[in-house]
Amino acid sequence: MMNDNFINLKNKFCFVTGSNGYIGKTICQKLIKQGAIVIHTDIKKNKIKSKNSFFFKADLKSKKEINILVKKIKKKFKKIDVLVNNAGYVATSDLGKKDSMLIYNEEYIKLNLNNTIYLTDLIIPSLKKSKQGSIINICSIYSFLTFDYNLYKGTAMKAPLAYGVSKAGLMHYTKMLSTSLAPKIRVNSISPGGIFRNQPSKFIKKYLLKTPLNRMCNENDVANAVIFFSSELSSYITGHNLVVDGGYSLS
């Protein structure tokens, strides 16, 4: 019989980036429900209303703002138990004319990879003060798969090369960091499949034909995986990329 204490996050300090997005908000809400104290940040105003959450506004595209953010967090909190690197551009982000399928856009690399690494490095000393430190990087199935451009034909949807490259870098960073921080801190990543966002019906139909569980991913699927890596259920797992895609990547 499973020990309920394994999923008890009471009084764990969890730092989540990109907390105003669909996924980030759901992650924060799930963590709070499990008893965690959630520290979170986004470029926009706070959307999480709870006595167990603390919001810090910051633009993570700026290293200067990252420095200020981390100083504020370290001043207020003695330790961090869990870091969830969720902030980043998604494949459909509107980054201007350069954001196309075939033209490389460095903004993805800057936010999704470089500045995520920069922030993580600054938070590691706080994680080392925890007895059960855990870093969770939100990646994508495109961290290890290429785009199936047939899915996008006849739609205005984007599939920029730099998105996949940035997420691939983040996944490999996860593996490299896991060995350098072991055994004190565990480092894992989560790679969601395509998340339902009312995409064109022709895209969804073709996507589901490749997905054994016959549905797209949703925010709860990702948040549940975060709970797993935040808890003692995953205490002997590090350097792992958990694929949450309903079987899409099997085809």
Side-chain angles (χ1 to χ4, degrees):
M1 190 173 188
M2 186 179 295
N3 187 339
D4 287 342
N5 289 329
F6 276 23
I7 55 172
N8 182 6
L9 303 182
K10 188 175 181 181
N11 296 325
K12 275 197 174 186
F13 291 86
C14 302
F15 178 29
V16 181
T17 67
S19 61
N20 281 346
Y22 293 105
I23 294 176
K25 186 177 179 180
T26 304
I27 289 171
C28 289
Q29 290 170 336
K30 287 255 182 181
L31 288 169
I32 291 169
K33 188 175 181 180
Q34 291 296 327
I37 297 165
V38 175
I39 305 151
H40 58 110
T41 185
D42 203 287
I43 192 172
K44 300 176 182 178
K45 64 181 181 179
N46 182 22
K47 291 185 179 180
I48 309 295
K49 306 299 181 183
S50 170
K51 64 179 181 179
N52 289 326
S53 72
F54 299 85
F55 177 73
F56 295 86
K57 184 178 180 181
D59 181 358
L60 300 187
K61 296 190 300 296
S62 165
K63 288 185 177 179
K64 180 179 178 180
E65 290 205 27
I66 291 174
N67 288 331
I68 294 171
L69 168 67
V70 173
K71 284 181 180 178
K72 288 179 179 178
I73 290 173
K74 287 184 175 181
K75 185 176 180 180
K76 188 171 182 64
F77 303 97
K78 293 182 180 180
K79 65 166 183 171
I80 297 293
D81 296 295
V82 178
L83 167 63
V84 184
N85 283 316
N86 170 69
Y89 292 120
V90 297
T92 54
S93 296
D94 185 7
L95 301 182
K97 293 181 180 179
K98 289 185 178 181
D99 181 22
S100 71
M101 291 185 181
L102 301 177
I103 298 177
Y104 198 73
N105 192 314
E106 291 183 355
E107 289 301 305
Y108 285 96
I109 307 301
K110 181 178 180 181
L111 178 60
N112 292 9
L113 182 59
N114 293 349
N115 284 14
T116 294
I117 293 173
Y118 184 77
L119 182 146
T120 301
D121 284 347
L122 295 178
I123 291 293
I124 285 172
S126 295
L127 284 158
K128 286 182 176 179
K129 295 177 182 178
S130 169
K131 294 180 180 179
Q132 301 169 334
S134 176
I135 296 173
I136 306 163
N137 296 320
I138 306 300
C139 292
S140 165
I141 53 171
Y142 294 127
S143 60
F144 60 93
L145 293 178
T146 59
F147 288 111
D148 180 352
Y149 290 109
N150 180 58
L151 298 178
Y152 300 85
K153 287 180 180 178
T155 76
M157 296 175 65
K158 302 170 184 176
L161 293 176
Y163 173 77
V165 172
S166 68
K167 291 299 186 179
L170 186 59
M171 187 181 73
H172 194 63
Y173 168 68
T174 298
K175 294 179 179 181
M176 297 292 286
L177 192 64
S178 70
T179 58
S180 65
L181 295 182
K184 185 68 176 178
I185 300 170
R186 295 183 298 110
V187 189
N188 294 285
S189 60
I190 298 167
S191 287
I195 296 178
F196 180 73
R197 291 283 186 269
N198 292 309
Q199 291 93 337
S201 59
K202 60 174 63 178
F203 170 87
I204 294 175
K205 184 177 180 180
K206 287 187 284 188
Y207 189 94
L208 295 187
L209 286 174
K210 298 183 65 173
T211 309
L213 293 190
N214 199 38
R215 69 172 177 86
M216 296 189 72
C217 187
N218 62 47
E219 294 79 10
N220 283 310
D221 296 321
V222 182
N224 287 337
V226 169
I227 295 298
F228 172 68
F229 280 135
S230 300
S231 73
E232 284 300 285
L233 289 172
S234 59
S235 62
Y236 197 56
I237 301 174
T238 196
H240 182 70
N241 179 54
L242 179 59
V243 181
V244 184
D245 71 347
Y248 176 93
S249 57
L250 297 173
S251 60

